[in-house]
Amino acid sequence: MSVNKKYNYPPKLSILRFFLDAEGVRRNPIPYHKNYFDSFGDSFSIKIGSSKHIILSRDNEVAQYILQKNQRNYHKSKFQSVYLSKYLGKGLLTVDGEFWLRQRRLIQPAFHKQKMNQLVDNMRLTIISELDGLIVDKKIDLFPVMSELAFNVVAKSLFQFSIAEEKLNRIKYIIEEVQNFLIKEIRLPHKVWWFSISGQVKKHLELAEENNKIIQGIIEERVNSKNEVNDLLNMLLETRYEDSGEGMSIKQLIDEIKILFIAGHETTANALTFTLHLLGNDFDVQEKIFEEITRIESETDDVVEQLQKMTYTNAVLNESMRLYPPAWITDRQNVEDDTLGEFNIKEGTLIGVSFYELHRNPKYWENPDDFNPDRFLGEQKKHSMQYFYPFGAGPRMCIGAGFAIYEMCLAISYIVKNYKITSAGKSVNFNPLITLKPVGVEVVFSKR
């Protein structure tokens, strides 16, 4: 773009309103975002200082452009590349450019469908073991149960050999502590000095280092044992870079495993919690899943075949993730000046896409706030998939999407086959952190 070309941006949110709303946005940005979109349209901007701009959008064309069509010009923002990598290291989630591409090509084969099929039996047994003792006929807070389930599925899929319970519990604790502090750092940048001098940054960096040592110990134990085990750790140890024929360093392997724990644990727990809440308010949909599972199990004993036939269960999960996308927002910064739709934007513009709002944008969805799994069946599915981003899009689409779908279908089918679900309330509360985290979602399970 010529230096003489004039930059122009979407309608501007005043800096005064931005600061007046700042504390409310920190607590829960989603209601504020909705108000801004209702006021300004599908994209709006904020000007910070004399030249820095932020754009937030729920426009599908913007999402497609920065994530797919011109993704090479859009790198992850410093929120992800700096803040996250400080604690999580340099794994697929936090890096960009050639290093990211090299890592993606290396790790992709471990998540190929055939490899995922090999993990299904272990996944199913973990789910049965975790859900066998569900409390019945009593209201329970659902998210902690789903969080424990999802964490153990990831842990057992990564490390099939039994790892000491206290080690896994410590990993889980550290991940949650570090993530909660990360959110404070991102949402309260004016308090960075306080976080530093009060010792909070040091404390959380030490926790992250402790996590590294626990995971390193698990890896070294596996390497020294010479055992070949059918789990993700073994698959990752076997991967080789195309150019050198070498495997990942221990340090890189630790970073990728941390990312897998975070990306594969909380997002799945979120999606399962929201799905069960929606099912607990819709007994017809529950019964349709029950009928589908009963029919499929009468047709085949093969678990992979069963998963491939769960058309309706998949539609329910998709509709749940449309309403409550686990990764509810993403952001990018353009490396060079660019034209984004009708706007000429300067390099370094921070662009956020709210999947939560895009998934409820009435321009793309009829009755967008209604729970309707039929959107993802038959001819309607083709339309819906154009505007649907449960795992992102483009080359950086979540590498573990297939793993997550398998896990969620297995969990939902087991629960619906054995229990009836009743939600304690119609509405649902959530906390938009790095992921969209459900809060105080209560259900009652009763035996079928």
Side-chain angles (χ1 to χ4, degrees), residues 85-287:
S85 65
K86 185 164 64 172
Y87 301 104
L88 304 184
K90 298 190 177 298
L92 275 183
L93 188 68
T94 58
V95 296
D96 259 312
E98 286 302 312
F99 182 67
W100 168 81
L101 186 60
R102 195 167 183 250
Q103 284 304 108
R104 180 83 183 202
R105 284 176 176 163
L106 175 75
I107 295 168
Q108 186 80 52
F111 286 86
H112 188 275
K113 199 165 190 177
Q114 284 179 316
K115 294 279 189 184
M116 290 300 98
N117 290 350
Q118 293 172 28
L119 299 175
V120 162
D121 276 335
N122 188 33
M123 205 185 282
R124 183 180 65 86
L125 291 171
T126 305
I127 288 167
I128 291 170
S129 167
E130 288 293 317
L131 295 176
D132 193 39
L134 272 179
I135 295 168
V136 295
D137 302 325
K138 184 180 175 183
K139 271 199 299 193
I140 62 164
D141 186 1
L142 190 54
F143 178 74
V145 178
M146 292 302 110
S147 181
E148 189 74 12
L149 167 71
F151 182 83
N152 285 328
V153 170
V154 171
K156 296 286 170 61
S157 298
L158 267 166
F159 317 123
Q160 190 178 325
F161 270 3
S162 57
I163 303 299
E165 190 96 358
E166 63 267 22
K167 282 186 185 177
L168 287 180
N169 287 338
R170 189 64 184 164
I171 291 172
K172 187 166 187 267
Y173 169 79
I174 291 171
I175 286 170
E176 288 172 355
E177 283 292 301
V178 167
Q179 178 176 305
N180 289 335
F181 181 64
L182 254 172
I183 292 298
K184 282 168 70 176
E185 277 199 311
I186 290 168
R187 290 195 184 161
L188 300 170
H190 56 289
K191 289 193 174 179
V192 167
W193 64 274
W194 169 248
F195 295 147
S196 185
I197 67 166
S198 64
Q200 292 182 64
V201 172
K202 183 172 182 282
K203 172 192 164 186
H204 288 90
L205 285 171
E206 285 171 354
L207 279 174
E209 186 53 36
E210 182 190 344
N211 205 22
N212 291 348
K213 286 181 176 159
I214 295 171
I215 295 169
Q216 182 173 343
I218 294 168
I219 294 167
E220 287 174 349
E221 197 176 317
R222 171 66 61 82
V223 172
N224 293 335
S225 75
K226 301 287 193 292
N227 286 327
E228 286 210 14
V229 184
N230 190 23
D231 61 12
L232 274 171
L233 175 57
N234 198 59
M235 291 175 192
L236 291 171
L237 284 166
E238 287 178 346
T239 58
R240 294 291 179 268
Y241 290 109
E242 291 173 355
D243 52 356
S244 67
E246 295 177 355
M248 267 187 277
S249 68
I250 294 289
K251 183 179 183 305
Q252 192 59 47
L253 192 53
I254 291 167
D255 286 351
E256 298 301 351
I257 284 171
K258 284 188 293 187
I259 298 296
L260 290 174
F261 262 121
I262 287 165
H265 153 225
E266 191 165 291
T267 51
T268 303
N270 296 350
L272 284 171
T273 302
F274 288 125
T275 303
L276 290 166
H277 163 78
L278 290 164
L279 289 178
N281 280 308
D282 198 321
F283 298 113
D284 289 343
V285 171
Q286 253 185 87
E287 284 310 303

Side-chain angles (χ1 to χ4, degrees), residues 13-27 32 36:
L13 173 71
S14 78
I15 198 73
L16 177 62
R17 186 173 173 191
F18 175 71
F19 280 118
L20 287 173
D21 290 345
E23 184 55 30
V25 169
R26 184 189 69 77
R27 287 196 300 270
Y32 291 89
Y36 301 152

Side-chain angles (χ1 to χ4, degrees), residues 54-76:
I54 298 170
I55 295 173
L56 189 65
S57 184
R58 63 174 184 183
D59 188 318
N60 193 58
E61 288 185 18
V62 169
Q64 288 282 312
Y65 187 76
I66 70 171
L67 298 177
Q68 290 183 283
K69 292 178 183 173
N70 198 23
Q71 52 85 20
R72 286 181 185 274
N73 191 37
Y74 290 86
H75 283 189
K76 292 209 162 192

